[in-house]
Amino acid sequence: MEESYVLHLQKQYQKFSDFYLCYCGHARCEPLHSYGPAVRPNYLLHYILDGSGIYHVEDQDFPLHKGDGFLIEPNKQTFYQASEEDPWTYLWIGFDGAKCESCLHSLGLGSDRLTFHCEDDGSLLKLVDSMLTYNKSDTEADFMLQSLLCQFFARLAKGISWGPERHLSKRERENLYIHQAMEYIRNNYANGITVADIAGYVALNRSYLFTLFRRVLGVSPQECLTQFRLTRAKEQLTLTDASVANIAMSCGYQDPQVFSKAFKQQFGITPVKYRKWDRERALRSLEHMAEAPGEAVSEEDALG
């Protein structure tokens, strides 16, 4: 490499375990400069600022040019090389965390789609250059780097386009909408969200969202939201001593009576009676185990 600028981080994971920056940089490569075959422990995105090269993964070769990018997944052997006549200049960010797959999926990237094209006005390079200035391990730097990582993904989300050969199929697009909607429900079910909020988040009208949920999941968005909330409530009734009113609030119900009515309609029993029944069942199971310690309790008996 003729010119390279690199930042390696060590402690980001301590504050941001779901999604955090590991390292970043950019470089202008010499002709035929290559990396690999190699395996990475984390996710890595490259974006080509100029020139061209080739990305090889799992017996596939991807010729790439200015404006293209490629994803390297953890624990997969990859190889990439700059062209001889027009070697590329690229930037990269390495990242990791429990929500990486979800974040990438929201961009349309994953194991089945490892390359992309992104129209950019220089913002991605500016963001990486900003990351490079925070080379100290302190609280300000940690939060600023986290912010810049999110801005980087936001810029990708704005600029990524799929050419004819990269066009998302109707099924892929529908699955992406469902994934985004379910992620929104998981993260916000406790906040009193509505179907309109879900539709707004995935940028679909309510009618199409309803059709999509019915076709893919077999339930309406409202039914899906209700089932998710009540399943979480059921878990809390089993695992905590919180009052029914508090559980209702934590699952997005402002009125405990509305919650109890919905719970009974879904499970055929009120929350109070369910908690009593569940704990009596657990007690019977423990008594049975104490009386016959050498006998295994079947799943059917344990579940009542």
Side-chain angles (χ1 to χ4, degrees):
M1 292 186 183
E2 296 177 350
E3 297 179 10
S4 62
Y5 304 87
V6 185
L7 172 67
H8 287 275
L9 304 171
Q10 300 296 329
K11 299 181 180 181
Q12 286 299 100
Y13 65 88
Q14 293 183 358
K15 287 189 177 70
F16 308 104
S17 60
D18 284 343
F19 183 51
Y20 57 89
L21 186 69
C22 299
Y23 49 86
C24 64
H26 56 85
R28 180 164 62 92
C29 296
E30 298 176 347
L32 298 179
H33 173 84
S34 64
Y35 191 95
V39 174
R40 306 289 188 141
N42 52 263
Y43 289 94
L44 178 61
L45 268 176
H46 282 73
Y47 178 73
I48 303 166
L49 301 167
D50 200 12
S52 61
I54 191 166
Y55 173 45
H56 178 88
V57 57
E58 294 183 339
D59 299 323
Q60 294 186 82
D61 287 328
F62 298 97
L64 301 171
H65 305 83
K66 179 180 178 179
D68 292 334
F70 58 95
L71 169 66
I72 296 176
E73 297 181 295
N75 305 315
K76 285 191 178 181
Q77 184 170 283
T78 62
F79 171 84
Y80 46 98
Q81 184 176 48
S83 73
E84 184 174 10
E85 297 180 353
D86 186 24
W88 53 21
T89 297
Y90 54 40
L91 59 81
W92 65 87
I93 58 166
F95 51 98
D96 210 347
K99 294 295 181 66
C100 283
E101 186 175 356
S102 175
C103 291
L104 289 165
H105 193 91
S106 68
L107 297 179
L109 297 174
S111 297
D112 59 344
R113 193 172 296 278
L114 297 170
T115 65
F116 61 93
H117 184 81
C118 179
E119 295 296 334
D120 185 50
D121 58 3
S123 297
L124 293 175
L125 179 59
K126 289 178 182 177
L127 287 168
V128 170
D129 277 337
S130 294
M131 294 175 186
L132 293 171
T133 65
Y134 291 96
N135 55 7
K136 296 186 298 181
S137 180
D138 60 28
T139 299
E140 179 189 2
D142 290 345
F143 281 103
M144 284 302 301
L145 286 169
Q146 187 69 12
S147 171
L148 291 167
L149 175 63
C150 291
Q151 290 181 58
F152 189 96
F153 266 65
R155 186 64 190 83
L156 285 179
K158 180 180 180 180
I160 280 182
S161 61
W162 306 107
E165 74 283 1
R166 302 183 178 94
H167 184 65
L168 288 173
S169 68
K170 180 180 179 182
R171 182 176 180 180
E172 287 175 322
R173 191 164 57 251
E174 289 180 347
N175 287 340
L176 179 59
Y177 287 141
I178 292 294
H179 175 86
Q180 292 172 336
M182 291 305 301
E183 183 177 46
Y184 183 75
I185 289 172
R186 281 194 297 272
N187 293 333
N188 296 279
Y189 72 93
N191 300 326
I193 60 171
T194 66
V195 173
D197 295 323
I198 301 170
Y201 178 76
V202 297
L204 296 176
N205 64 61
R206 291 183 60 176
S207 176
Y208 181 60
L209 184 69
F210 177 87
T211 300
L212 201 57
F213 263 72
R214 293 292 297 179
R215 181 164 65 246
V216 177
L217 300 179
V219 295
S220 70
Q222 184 61 59
E223 289 169 335
C224 183
L225 176 60
T226 297
Q227 289 175 9
F228 193 92
R229 283 172 165 160
L230 294 178
T231 299
R232 290 292 181 268
K234 200 174 182 182
E235 292 172 356
Q236 291 191 48
L237 287 166
T238 296
L239 300 174
T240 75
D241 292 320
S243 68
V244 170
N246 285 342
I247 291 174
M249 289 285 290
S250 71
C251 293
Y253 288 92
Q254 300 299 315
D255 188 337
Q257 292 185 346
V258 173
F259 164 68
S260 295
K261 182 178 179 181
F263 191 95
K264 184 175 182 180
Q265 185 174 0
Q266 181 73 25
F267 300 116
I269 189 173
T270 66
V272 172
K273 289 183 178 179
Y274 171 78
R275 172 177 271 169
K276 180 181 179 182
W277 170 82
D278 183 70
R279 295 191 174 182
E280 288 176 348
R281 180 188 64 174
L283 182 59
R284 287 196 303 269
S285 179
L286 290 173
E287 290 174 346
H288 179 77
M289 292 174 65
E291 291 172 358
E295 298 179 10
V297 179
S298 70
E299 184 178 1
E300 183 177 355
D301 289 337
L303 295 175

